[in-house]
Amino acid sequence: MTLAPLNLFVAHRGRSSRQHITCRNRCGDACSRPAPNSSDNEYFGDIVAAMSRRSALRVGGVAVLAIGAGSVLAACGTGEKPAATETSISPAAAPDSPAGMRFDSVAVNTEDAVVIPDGYQQRVVIGWGDPVLPGAPVFDIAGQTGAAQRQQFGFNNDFAALLPITGRPDRFLLVVNHEYNSPQFMFPGYDPDAPTREQFDVEVAALGLSVVEVERSPQGGLRPVLGRYNRRITADTPFILDGPAAGADTVKTVADPTGRAVLGTFANCAGGVTPWGTVLSGEENFHTYFGSAEGTALPDPDKAKRYGVLAEPSEHRWETFDPRFDLGATPNEVNRFGCVIEVDPWDPASVPVKHSALGRFKHEGATVHVTDDGTVVVYTGDDERFDYMYKFVSANKIRPGDTAHNMRLLSEGTLYVATLSGQNPGSGTWIPLLHSGTDVAESLVDGFTAQDVAVFTRLAADRAGATKMDRPEDFEANPKTGKVYVALTNNDKRGTEGKPGPDGANPRNENKNGQVLEITDDHAGTTFTWDLLLVCGDPAAADTYYGGFDKSKVSPISCPDNLAFDSQGNLWISTDGNALEGNDGLFAVALDGPNRGETKQFLTVPIGAETCGPVVTDDLITVSVQHPGEGDEYSLDNPLSHWPDGGGAPARPAVVAVWRDNGNIGV
Ligand code: FEO
Ligand code: CA
Ligand code: CA
Ligand code: CA
C-alpha cells in the first residue's frame, strides 16, 4: 500500500482538511459562502461571552487558556498544521483501558487503505455499483446508466443501520444513506459546466438509501444477499409528507396540488433506528440540487437564503434536466426537502414518510431516546455554522408490537430548540416551537403560523432566540446513563468580524477542530445541564481538552461528526475533515471513572475519505467510507485513491466491516 505525501492535502482555504471539491459537491460550496444564519438573535450566552472574551476557557472546571481574537487557534487558520507528534499517537494497548477499548490505537497516517489495529481483520461489505436488486447488471463504470444504478448500491454511503432479522441469527438488514454525488469521481471526462442527461439519470438513482440483506461471511465480516427486503430508494421515490407542513400552500406544486405527495429524498446524512424497527434519515444539504438562471425572482428570497437556496445555477445542474429542480419553474419544490424521513425497511412496498413535525432544516440525523413511560424523544441537529440543536417529544407512547401506531409517534408531539447558558458546565432550556396534533397544529412562536414553523423552522428558531452552535452534527444518547452527546464539528467563522464570539459551549474562535458536548437532559422536559466532554484538536495544544484524561496518552481527534455507543457505554466518534495531519478515523472514548476522556483511534479511512455511519456491535464494527480520493486536483480519470479495488482501479465508496481474529471488539 502506498503512502501519500502529506502535502497532497493542503487544508481547504485554511479550514479543516476538507477539500473544496467535497464542499462543492456536498454543500453547494457552503464553506466559501456566508453562513446563512445572519439573524441578530442575541441570546444570553453571547452577552456572557462578550463580557468574558478574554477570560479563560473552562473545561472540567479548570481554566486552561485565555482566548480571544488572535488566539493560539489562529495557527489553524494559517494552514500551518501542528505536527503529528510521536507522543500523540499510538498509545500501547493499555490493559487498563475500559472493556470495549482494549485495542492498539491506530497511528495518524495518510495511507490509501483502511488501517485497523493489530489482530483485527477487515472486508468490504458492499460498495458503489454492487448489486442490490436481483438482475442488477454488472457494474460498468465507463458505461453506467440510470437504469443500472437503480438496481445497484448508490454513491457516497453515509449513515448505516444494521438490524437483526428475527429467527436468522446470522442475517441482518443493512440500511444505508447515499448522501451526495461526486460526479468528477463517477463519470469519465465529467464537465461540471455541461453535465449530460445520462449523468443526471445516474445521479438521481445514486442518491437516497439502500436496503440490503447481509449475512455473516464464512471468511469473516458480512456479505450482501439478494434477499426479499432489498430495496433502492432514490431521488424520485414516492413519499408521503405528514405533519403540519402537509397541505400547506408553501409546499404545493403544479404536479402535487395536495402538498402531500413528494418525490424522492436526497442529501441523507446521518440517521437513527427506532425501537419499532424503522429507520430515520436526515435530509441535510438538499439545497444544492435546486437552481435557476441567475437573478430568477424567488417568492420569498429571505426565507430561501436562510436555507442557502439562491437564484443561481446549482452545483449539480439538475434544474437543466427536470423543472421540479428549477426554482423559477417550481419554486415550492425545495420546501419539500429538509425533513427527517422514516422508512420501514421490512416492507419494500411501503411508502416512506417525511415527518414535518420534526421541523425543516439541514438535519444531520435523528436519534431516538425512549423515556421510562414510553415517550419518544428524537434529537436532531441542524448542521450549519451558527445553527441550532432541536428535539421532538412525542405526544403519545410506544405500544410494543403495534407498528401502525408507533409509526404515527413522530407525527404528533412538540418540537423544541435549545438555548444554552453559562460557562462550562452550564445549563440550558428547550424552547417549544410547535405542537403537532392529530388534526390541528399550534405555533408557539409569535408571528408564525404552525405551517410556517414546520416549513421555515430556522426562521422560527431565530425568533425564539436559540443558541448559535458550531455545526451540530450527530446526537446520541448513552443507553447506559441516558446522557446525550452532541458532535459539534467545527466553525471557522466563530469570532470573525460580524459573527458571534465564543461562549461556554462553543468556546473557541475560528474553531477548526470542534468539540463534543455532554448533556444531562430531562428528556421529555424542558431543562438540561451541559458540559464539554472533548475540546478537540492537537493534544499538545493548550486549547484542547480530553475529558480530563492525560493528553499525552490520547489519539488526536479533530472534527467529530457521527456518534455511536458500544454495549459497554463507550462513545465512538467518526470524523469529517480532520484538521490535523492524517486521514479521518473512528475513535473510542471512555466516559466514566478514571479513564474518562481516554480517546483511542480504532481505524482510519483511505486518503481523501471521510468516516461515516459507524455501527458498533460486540463482535463487529462497520463504517461507511465516503468519498475516498476526493481531492481538488483529482478525478475518475486521475484518481488519488484506488480503494477498495486496488491496482489502477478508481476509488469507490463502500461499507467495510472490521472484526477481531478471536473474540469481541476491544475486550
Ligand atoms: Fe453530511 Fe453534517 O455532514
Ligand atoms: Ca459532517
Ligand atoms: Ca449516530
Ligand atoms: Ca459526515
Side-chain angles (χ1 to χ4, degrees):
M1 69 194 55
T2 53
L3 276 173
L6 288 173
N7 63 7
L8 272 179
F9 266 44
V10 175
H12 163 37
R13 304 196 182 181
R15 300 179 180 108
S16 76
S17 70
R18 174 60 51 244
Q19 292 283 288
H20 189 206
I21 189 68
T22 302
C23 201
R24 281 176 46 202
N25 283 331
R26 173 160 57 198
C27 324
D29 209 8
C31 6
S32 298
R33 301 175 188 269
N37 190 356
S38 57
S39 68
D40 57 4
N41 161 27
E42 183 180 49
Y43 66 102
F44 180 69
D46 281 339
I47 301 163
V48 170
M51 291 190 304
S52 61
R53 193 132 316 160
R54 294 216 162 266
S55 72
L57 160 60
R58 294 186 63 81
V59 284
V62 180
V64 297
L65 175 72
I67 53 171
S71 74
V72 62
L73 290 170
C76 295
T78 63
E80 293 171 24
K81 297 175 180 177
T85 59
E86 286 304 313
T87 56
S88 67
I89 58 172
S90 222
D96 53 349
S97 289
M101 288 180 56
R102 293 177 189 142
F103 53 82
D104 292 337
S105 297
V106 165
V108 173
N109 69 80
T110 55
E111 294 196 38
D112 186 25
V114 173
V115 181
I116 57 176
D118 288 344
Y120 285 74
Q121 302 287 332
Q122 61 172 299
R123 185 177 299 275
V124 167
V125 180
I126 189 168
W128 177 43
D130 288 343
V132 170
L133 301 179
V138 173
F139 184 49
D140 173 10
I141 200 166
Q144 179 68 330
T145 66
Q149 182 65 76
R150 283 176 186 279
Q151 304 171 71
Q152 298 165 336
F153 198 66
F155 201 74
N156 269 344
N157 31 220
D158 199 305
F159 171 80
L162 196 61
L163 308 173
I165 297 179
T166 304
R168 302 291 303 271
D170 285 337
R171 293 225 175 177
F172 306 85
L173 280 194
L174 178 68
V175 184
V176 179
N177 287 348
H178 301 292
E179 186 187 15
Y180 75 101
N181 290 318
S182 309
Q184 299 83 353
F185 298 85
M186 299 168 73
F187 307 115
Y190 180 73
D191 178 355
D193 294 323
T196 67
R197 158 67 64 173
E198 188 76 324
Q199 290 165 344
F200 166 75
D201 290 343
V202 173
E203 287 203 32
V204 165
L207 297 188
L209 291 87
S210 290
V211 180
V212 189
E213 194 169 331
V214 294
E215 65 178 359
R216 288 190 187 274
S217 164
Q219 291 82 35
L222 300 168
R223 66 183 180 190
V225 176
L226 295 179
R228 65 187 172 97
Y229 302 108
N230 287 19
R231 180 180 191 182
R232 277 302 323 279
I233 291 171
T234 65
D236 55 7
T237 298
F239 275 73
I240 295 166
L241 176 64
D242 89 347
D249 286 343
T250 49
V251 301
K252 290 177 179 169
T253 64
V254 172
D256 173 30
T258 69
R260 295 170 189 275
V262 182
L263 291 181
T265 191
F266 40 80
N268 303 80
C269 193
V273 177
T274 68
W276 50 96
T278 61
V279 171
L280 307 179
S281 169
E283 294 177 341
E284 193 191 21
N285 290 297
F286 60 91
H287 66 295
T288 64
Y289 298 92
F290 295 89
S292 67
E294 202 86 43
T296 302
L298 300 181
D300 199 331
D302 289 340
K303 283 179 178 165
K305 193 175 167 195
R306 184 67 181 82
Y307 285 83
V309 174
L310 301 171
E312 59 184 49
S314 72
E315 187 65 38
H316 296 275
R317 304 288 171 96
W318 284 14
E319 69 274 14
T320 60
F321 300 105
D322 185 338
R324 83 181 170 106
F325 301 107
D326 183 330
L327 294 164
T330 319
N332 286 347
E333 184 72 15
V334 69
N335 297 338
R336 296 140 66 90
F337 294 82
C339 299
V340 169
I341 67 162
E342 182 173 11
V343 175
D344 178 2
W346 305 101
D347 178 2
S350 60
V351 179
V353 178
K354 297 195 177 207
H355 285 297
S356 72
L358 276 67
R360 175 175 165 268
F361 43 91
K362 295 183 187 175
H363 287 278
E364 167 74 11
T367 48
V368 176
H369 175 83
V370 181
T371 67
D372 291 342
D373 72 355
T375 300
V376 174
V377 184
V378 183
Y379 294 93
T380 179
D382 186 350
D383 179 12
E384 188 102 60
R385 294 165 295 178
F386 303 111
D387 259 295
Y388 309 136
M389 307 192 307
Y390 297 81
K391 76 172 177 182
F392 172 86
V393 178
S394 68
N396 301 309
K397 307 199 190 318
I398 285 186
R399 283 188 207 147
D402 188 346
T403 304
H405 165 85
N406 294 335
M407 284 194 71
R408 292 284 309 156
L409 287 171
L410 305 190
S411 305
E412 299 173 32
T414 305
L415 178 67
Y416 299 86
V417 71
T419 62
L420 289 78
S421 59
Q423 297 301 301
N424 182 30
S427 57
T429 304
W430 295 101
I431 305 175
L433 302 176
L434 177 65
H435 284 316
S436 301
T438 315
D439 298 311
V440 292
E442 178 191 3
S443 165
L444 302 166
V445 182
D446 284 347
F448 283 75
T449 66
Q451 291 182 328
D452 276 348
V453 178
V455 179
F456 300 108
T457 312
R458 280 185 166 182
L459 290 102
D462 293 342
R463 178 72 60 88
T467 297
K468 296 171 180 171
M469 306 298 292
D470 287 347
R471 294 188 54 197
E473 297 248 26
D474 212 358
F475 279 73
E476 203 73 44
N478 185 336
K480 287 210 154 178
T481 65
K483 287 189 181 182
V484 177
Y485 295 79
V486 189
L488 298 160
T489 282
N490 56 39
N491 184 349
D492 62 307
K493 290 290 188 281
R494 184 162 299 273
T496 60
E497 191 177 352
K499 287 295 174 191
D503 59 51
N506 303 279
R508 296 183 294 189
N509 282 325
E510 297 179 36
N511 175 12
K512 305 295 187 299
N513 291 296
Q515 62 266 17
V516 176
L517 199 64
E518 180 177 59
I519 293 176
T520 303
D521 193 25
D522 176 9
H523 299 282
T526 57
T527 58
F528 61 92
T529 58
W530 60 264
D531 60 85
L532 289 167
L533 171 70
L534 299 177
V535 183
C536 303
D538 181 2
D543 70 330
T544 60
Y545 175 73
Y546 282 70
F549 197 74
D550 180 348
K551 292 200 292 176
S552 71
K553 294 192 170 74
V554 301
S555 301
I557 185 171
S558 168
C559 300
D561 188 347
N562 300 139
L563 305 177
F565 275 93
D566 64 26
S567 65
Q568 313 282 346
N570 302 305
L571 177 63
W572 292 69
I573 305 175
S574 62
T575 65
D576 167 12
N578 185 359
L580 308 172
E581 285 185 353
N583 292 345
D584 275 319
L586 176 68
F587 300 76
V589 183
L591 297 179
D592 296 315
N595 290 80
R596 178 178 164 84
E598 182 179 10
T599 300
K600 298 178 71 175
Q601 182 158 255
F602 179 76
L603 63 74
T604 53
V605 292
I607 190 160
E610 168 181 343
T611 320
C612 297
V615 175
V616 181
T617 74
D618 285 348
D619 63 358
L620 183 105
I621 284 177
T622 66
V623 293
S624 292
V625 176
Q626 193 186 64
H627 60 79
E630 190 165 49
D632 291 347
E633 307 302 322
Y634 300 92
S635 67
L636 184 69
D637 307 307
N638 176 30
L640 168 63
S641 169
H642 302 282
W643 188 89
D645 301 315
R652 290 188 301 145
V655 177
V656 63
V658 181
W659 67 97
R660 195 171 162 209
D661 291 337
N662 298 296
N664 284 349
I665 304 281
V667 295

